Amino acid sequence: MASVRVCALDDLVENQASRFVLEGVPIAVVKDAAGDVFAIGDTCTHGDISLSEGFVEDDTLECWAHGSQFSLKTGKPLTLPAYEPVPVYRVDIQGGDVHIDPAVTLTV
């Protein structure tokens, strides 16, 4: 499958996660203060909690329920109680739009 347009880059709020479901795959998309866009799996690996409802700090997304922080770059949990990573997706910016292929995860 090819990448899918998710939203306009300008639709993303800086340092806030947005939830999108692409081909049945929930994905949290974050634009950081530097303007970089990241896409990681939206479901916390510690519990069935939407990460996009959590808090963005620097290059992490924190689960609001139990406090696990996940790296936006690698998907790895940086704090307990989560110990399994979430998937990371490649983000392409095309003509001011954010595109993601939900079938392809990055190995980091």
Side-chain angles (χ1 to χ4, degrees):
M1 177 182 167
S3 64
V4 176
R5 182 190 180 277
V6 175
C7 65
L9 182 59
D10 291 341
D11 291 342
L12 297 174
V13 178
E14 185 178 296
N15 290 327
Q16 181 177 329
S18 298
R19 182 177 195 268
F20 298 94
V21 179
L22 306 176
E23 303 292 322
V25 178
I27 297 175
V29 179
V30 174
K31 179 171 67 173
D32 70 9
D36 296 322
V37 179
F38 301 92
I40 65 173
D42 186 49
T43 306
C44 179
T45 56
H46 173 255
D48 192 22
I49 304 293
S50 173
L51 290 175
S52 62
E53 296 176 23
F55 313 100
V56 175
E57 185 176 330
D58 298 324
D59 64 349
T60 66
L61 180 53
E62 181 180 330
C63 178
W64 64 269
H66 300 110
S68 290
Q69 291 182 330
F70 294 87
S71 168
L72 292 171
K73 296 176 182 177
T74 68
K76 294 179 182 175
L78 304 175
T79 59
L80 294 173
Y83 57 90
E84 293 291 325
V86 294
V88 175
Y89 302 91
R90 187 181 73 224
V91 174
D92 293 315
I93 307 299
Q94 301 174 12
D97 292 329
V98 178
H99 291 254
I100 298 170
D101 186 342
V104 178
T105 57
L106 300 176
T107 304
V108 288

